Amino acid sequence: MCTGCGVCAYLAPDAIQMVDDIKLGRRPIVQPEADLDGLSDASTACPGKGLTHTFNSEDPELIEELVPAWGPIYEMVEGYAVDADIRFHGSSGGAASALALYCIERLGMHGALHVKRRDDVPFLNRTAMSQNKEELISGAGSRYAPASPCDALDQIEQAPAPCVFIGKPCDAAATRDAANLRPKLKEKLGLNIAFFCAGVPSTQGTLDMLHEMGVADPMSVNELRYRGRGWPGLARAVWSDASGKEQSAELTYEESWGKLQRYRQWRCYVCADHTGELADIAVGDPWYRPQDSNDPGKSLILARTARGREVLAGAIDAGYLVAESVEPWTLPASQENLLATRGMIWARILVCKLLGAAAPRFVGFRMFHFWLSKLTFRQKSQSFYGTVKRVFSKKLRKPIRVEPYEEPASSGRSVSDRMNSS
């Protein structure tokens, strides 16, 4: 059930270490001499085992018709970063980066904790604290590869001022729950931003994509991006061939995601939160509009808490975002398959429980209603039959052995050599 968020490593740093497993993603390893009695907080905050809504669904200020399927939304706008560079490099309008920059420059926050590529191994990710526009831009754009931003929450806790957190819905949920366990983290968590997520592909997915793009040695890759520089943007790899000559290749968003989505971890197939329902602000693509390769991009921006609403309004007023309110139908039109997916998840969880496989528990997330109303008879049947097959084919009733990735040398140059020369 692991999502790879890393919150357990933050809450129990002496007992747990996060590692890269090429086939699984980022995974925790419990140290042999660890005090298991000290892992209760790590278990409590783990989003893999389940998520719980705590908001007041009767709040009259919420967008009422969206609450059952989409969680708390006080305000929904469509907009983009005023700064042209941030908008260009972002996946869909640069809203998350613009909000982070507003918090740093106008609200006095220390920085934004988010995911960037590793400079020495670009097909792997790292967590970084960005404190200015240039650092934010260097980490802008989607990273369709495993990351564990929550294992670095101590950087927020120890910061001299509040910080922004940016991550997947499960990361944002873990951060919220960790803050409820650590008063110092709660004090320093200035804003919790999530971006819409359709699942996390394993690193193996990226390696296979690179191979299809013509990369013979993944350690020769100098640059890798999945999206951005326009909407929705191209996947682009730059590498050095055996002679040292620089090569590059590109894939459209449809081509790259079409390949990568087949490598999503199992936990993503039983996830009820794809739109950051437990964050302060959630951002995502306005897929209800036709895609245009010349479009610089816009974002759907959902204010999910009073704090999120306040910051969103401030960023617009201060000129960091251009945004306008949109009708409630815009969200379901941008995520057309999500309600049917909610229904399928209800069946998948039920089958896992009946067959003795691990399954997450969701409190306050409506699922059975959508199984009844949004699925055809064939889809209902498939939601059960397909899960039964997966329980056995994926061996979901057995423990998983984590195999840490050992980075190979590249074309006669080791990773350390590349780091020292960069």
Side-chain angles (χ1 to χ4, degrees):
M1 288 293 96
C2 182
T3 69
C5 73
V7 74
C8 55
Y10 158 68
L11 290 168
D14 295 331
I16 298 176
Q17 175 188 1
M18 298 298 295
V19 299
D20 284 292
D21 183 304
I22 291 297
K23 294 183 179 179
L24 297 176
R26 294 284 288 174
R27 289 294 182 267
I29 291 182
V30 180
Q31 302 304 307
E33 304 301 322
D35 177 10
L36 299 185
D37 292 335
L39 299 182
S40 59
D41 282 354
S43 176
T44 299
C46 174
K49 71 173 191 175
L51 302 173
T52 299
H53 265 310
T54 57
F55 75 101
N56 176 16
S57 61
E58 303 298 323
D59 188 335
E61 295 192 35
L62 293 172
I63 302 177
E64 183 179 2
E65 57 264 52
L66 294 179
V67 170
W70 309 95
I73 303 174
Y74 286 93
E75 188 171 0
M76 181 167 66
V77 301
E78 184 176 346
Y80 56 89
V82 171
D83 187 284
D85 289 336
I86 290 179
R87 186 181 187 187
F88 176 68
H89 287 279
S91 292
S92 55
S97 297
L99 286 163
L101 188 62
Y102 164 72
C103 289
I104 294 169
E105 292 186 345
R106 294 299 183 90
L107 300 185
M109 294 195 191
H110 174 69
L113 191 72
H114 63 136
V115 171
K116 297 183 178 183
R117 74 179 187 192
R118 275 180 53 176
D119 293 332
D120 58 316
V121 188
F123 58 83
L124 297 178
N125 290 327
R126 64 186 177 94
T127 304
M129 180 73 76
S130 292
Q131 295 180 270
N132 55 50
K133 171 186 166 181
E134 290 71 26
E135 292 176 351
L136 286 168
I137 288 177
S138 70
S142 299
R143 298 290 298 171
Y144 294 136
S148 54
C150 295
D151 66 356
L153 286 174
D154 61 301
Q155 293 188 41
I156 293 181
E157 183 179 321
Q158 297 167 12
C163 299
V164 179
F165 176 86
I166 305 174
K168 303 182 299 299
C170 55
D171 302 330
T175 298
R176 183 203 69 166
D177 290 344
N180 288 332
L181 294 169
R182 296 288 190 270
K184 195 171 180 181
L185 175 63
K186 191 166 190 174
E187 176 188 344
K188 294 295 180 64
L189 183 61
L191 188 70
N192 192 354
I193 301 176
F195 45 81
F196 294 7
C197 177
V200 181
S202 67
T203 305
Q204 188 65 56
T206 291
L207 295 178
D208 289 352
M209 181 185 75
L210 288 172
H211 178 75
E212 293 189 29
M213 295 172 82
V215 179
D217 177 10
M219 294 301 291
S220 69
V221 173
N222 302 314
E223 178 187 350
L224 173 62
R225 75 168 187 266
Y226 297 82
R227 285 184 60 184
R229 300 184 183 178
W231 186 70
L234 300 172
R236 186 171 192 266
V238 179
W239 70 96
S240 300
D241 63 20
S243 66
K245 184 178 180 181
E246 188 171 272
Q247 305 287 344
S248 66
E250 295 179 335
L251 295 174
T252 66
Y253 170 74
E254 291 80 4
E255 291 170 336
S256 61
W257 181 244
K259 300 176 187 297
L260 291 168
Q261 67 174 332
R262 301 194 298 266
Y263 295 85
R264 287 175 292 176
Q265 59 188 2
W266 169 247
R267 177 59 177 78
C268 297
Y269 285 88
V270 287
C271 179
D273 181 15
H274 294 273
T275 60
E277 296 186 29
L278 304 181
D280 291 317
I281 293 178
V283 298
D285 291 285
W287 293 126
Y288 75 93
R289 295 191 290 107
Q291 300 173 38
D292 182 349
S293 59
N294 296 318
D295 190 334
K298 291 184 178 180
S299 301
L300 279 182
I301 311 171
L302 317 181
R304 293 193 172 278
T305 65
R307 175 60 172 160
R309 191 180 197 178
E310 176 187 358
V311 172
L312 175 59
I316 295 171
D317 290 343
Y320 285 77
L321 286 171
V322 171
E324 59 182 5
S325 296
V326 290
E327 295 295 323
W329 63 263
T330 307
L331 180 54
S334 296
Q335 302 288 325
E336 288 185 325
N337 299 322
L338 194 55
L339 297 187
T341 299
R342 273 278 183 96
M344 291 181 180
I345 289 168
W346 174 81
R348 290 169 186 165
I349 290 174
L350 178 61
V351 170
C352 285
K353 289 180 177 179
L354 292 174
L355 295 181
R361 181 172 182 264
F362 296 104
V363 178
F365 292 82
R366 203 171 183 182
M367 292 181 288
F368 177 65
H369 168 80
F370 299 113
W371 183 83
L372 284 176
S373 62
K374 297 296 181 179
L375 300 183
T376 64
F377 177 78
R378 182 175 182 178
Q379 289 174 318
K380 288 184 174 78
S381 301
Q382 181 62 28
S383 66
F384 284 102
Y385 174 68
T387 307
V388 171
K389 289 178 61 179
R390 281 171 168 163
V391 167
F392 292 99
S393 65
K394 292 181 176 292
K395 302 178 180 179
L396 297 180
R397 297 185 297 176
K398 297 182 179 180
I400 296 174
R401 181 179 179 82
V402 175
E403 298 181 4
Y405 173 55
E406 298 292 336
E407 298 167 5
S410 171
S411 304
R413 297 182 70 202
S414 68
V415 174
S416 59
D417 290 336
R418 296 175 64 185
M419 292 180 67
N420 292 333
S421 64
S422 64

